[in-house]
């Protein structure tokens, strides 16, 4: 993150730290080190873990000085030109989110990671790209993307009543008229789970979160003024986890 090719006076970093172990002190020392180098960086520690990631994002959003917020999970290693590749799209005032494609640092680690990489590549290069080209409803994938701060506020902010707060806010923003851009050509490297329990936990969150979002947002979609085509696409999108039941 600190290797971003971007002017220091236009670049602020918040480390949202809900940790309760020794990494709190490790992070504190690293943040202090970058401060001495002239970076605008803060470690934001919460006294509770209410809302988990959604809660951390909600509590920290008002502390962001800028109009645009790039979000990365801890296992992502964006390239130095990430901001230069994404920020220009916000010259269009209708754009609320720019999402980039996930890449895989440890794809060749095992058969498990290769299969995960294949699944995610299909999601991004087929599903996300297809929805984008077809002018359908898109989703922010929780990380490796940039939000307009105004969009977050206008859509109602981060909410923790589903396990996939990223999908939830994506739909609420698009119902409000904001647009999402997907950039297939911009990759953001990340680490894949290397053992089965981690993968099962991740997939459970994604599937249950999708079902929760269907229950929460389907009525909103059908009561909105978005085109019928997008309503139908959004409905099938939110119900896509039912393929596992089949």
């Amino acid at each position: 993150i600190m290797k971003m090719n971007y002017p220091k006076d236009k670049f602020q970093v918040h480390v949202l730290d809900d940790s309760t172990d020794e990494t709190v002190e490790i992070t504190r020392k690293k943040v202090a080190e970058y401060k001495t180098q002239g970076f605008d960086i803060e470690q934001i520690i919460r006294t509770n873990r209410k809302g988990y990631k959604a809660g951390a994002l909600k509590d920290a959003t008002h502390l962001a000085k800028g109009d645009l917020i790039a979000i990365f999970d801890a296992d992502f290693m964006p390239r130095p030109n990430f901001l230069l590749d994404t920020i220009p799209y916000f010259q269009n005032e209708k754009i609320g989110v720019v999402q980039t494609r996930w890449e895989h640092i440890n794809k060749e680690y095992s058969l498990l990671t290769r299969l995960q990489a294949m699944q995610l590549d299909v999601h991004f290069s087929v599903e996300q790209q297809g929805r984008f080209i077809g002018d359908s409803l898109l989703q922010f994938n929780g990380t490796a993307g940039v939000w307009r701060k105004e969009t977050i506020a206008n859509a109602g902010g981060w909410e923790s009543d589903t396990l996939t707060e990223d999908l939830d806010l994506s739909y609420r923003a698009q119902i409000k008229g904001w647009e999402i851009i997907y950039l297939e050509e911009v990759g953001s490297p990340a680490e894949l789970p290397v053992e089965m329990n981690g993968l099962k936990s991740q997939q459970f969150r994604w599937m249950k979160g999708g079902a929760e979002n269907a229950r929460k947002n389907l009525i909103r979609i059908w009561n909105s003024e978005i085109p019928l085509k997008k309503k139908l696409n959004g409905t099938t999108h939110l119900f896509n986890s039912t393929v596992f039941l089949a």
Side-chain angles (χ1 to χ4, degrees):
I1 298 284
M2 308 314 297
K3 293 179 180 178
M4 286 288 182
N5 180 16
Y6 212 70
K8 282 187 180 180
D9 62 334
K10 299 183 183 297
F11 175 36
Q12 177 190 32
V13 176
H14 283 160
V15 183
L16 310 188
D17 191 357
D18 281 4
S19 304
T20 56
D21 58 12
E22 70 280 0
T23 62
V24 176
E25 181 62 17
I26 294 171
T27 301
R28 186 194 66 78
K29 291 179 180 179
K30 204 66 182 176
V31 167
E33 175 187 326
Y34 282 117
K35 278 188 175 182
T36 63
Q37 298 176 25
F39 287 100
D40 184 355
I41 181 172
E42 297 289 340
Q43 178 187 20
I44 299 176
I45 300 175
R46 299 197 299 163
T47 56
N48 62 70
R49 300 188 69 190
K50 183 179 179 181
Y52 300 102
K53 181 181 175 181
L57 290 167
K58 181 177 181 179
D59 289 352
T61 296
H62 73 282
L63 300 174
K65 299 175 184 176
D67 297 324
L68 304 172
I69 302 176
I71 298 174
F72 298 99
D73 284 348
D75 51 354
F76 273 72
M77 298 176 63
R79 295 191 174 90
N81 278 353
F82 177 89
L83 293 176
L84 294 178
D85 290 337
T86 55
I87 300 304
Y89 290 92
F90 288 97
Q91 294 179 66
N92 181 342
E93 295 183 356
K94 293 182 180 180
I95 303 303
V97 185
V98 173
Q99 173 68 54
T100 65
R101 176 175 50 82
W102 294 7
E103 292 181 343
H104 322 294
I105 298 169
N106 58 337
K107 176 180 178 179
E108 299 302 328
Y109 180 81
S110 66
L111 176 61
L112 184 65
T113 56
R114 288 196 295 272
L115 290 171
Q116 290 179 74
M118 181 177 67
Q119 177 194 22
L120 287 168
D121 289 346
V122 167
H123 168 68
F124 282 98
S125 296
V126 178
E127 293 181 30
Q128 283 285 66
Q129 179 79 332
R131 292 189 185 112
F132 178 55
I133 293 174
D135 191 28
S136 299
L137 294 174
L138 288 168
Q139 72 181 91
F140 168 63
N141 293 99
T143 175
V146 187
W147 277 84
R148 191 187 296 271
K149 192 176 181 182
E150 178 188 356
T151 304
I152 297 174
N154 181 246
W158 299 101
E159 297 179 355
S160 57
D161 55 351
T162 73
L163 289 178
T164 46
E165 71 289 328
D166 45 8
L167 179 61
D168 176 30
L169 189 56
S170 301
Y171 267 75
R172 286 188 279 120
Q174 289 171 106
I175 288 171
K176 286 283 189 177
W178 296 97
E179 297 178 8
I180 298 179
I181 283 182
Y182 168 66
L183 301 180
E184 170 73 13
E185 67 275 14
V186 180
S188 296
E191 199 172 29
L192 295 162
V194 297
E195 46 87 28
M196 184 57 74
N197 287 334
L199 175 61
K200 287 169 66 177
S201 175
Q202 178 199 69
Q203 293 298 310
F204 176 81
R205 290 196 314 273
W206 289 358
M207 293 305 108
K208 184 175 181 179
E212 290 172 333
N213 269 285
R215 182 174 59 187
K216 177 178 180 177
N217 288 312
L218 274 178
I219 294 177
R220 290 179 178 176
I221 291 171
W222 284 95
N223 287 339
S224 72
E225 297 181 358
I226 62 177
L228 177 61
K229 171 189 170 184
K230 288 190 175 184
K231 291 179 179 180
L232 291 170
N233 174 266
T235 300
T236 57
H237 182 199
L238 292 179
F239 275 124
N240 66 5
S241 56
T242 57
V243 70
F244 291 96
L245 295 176

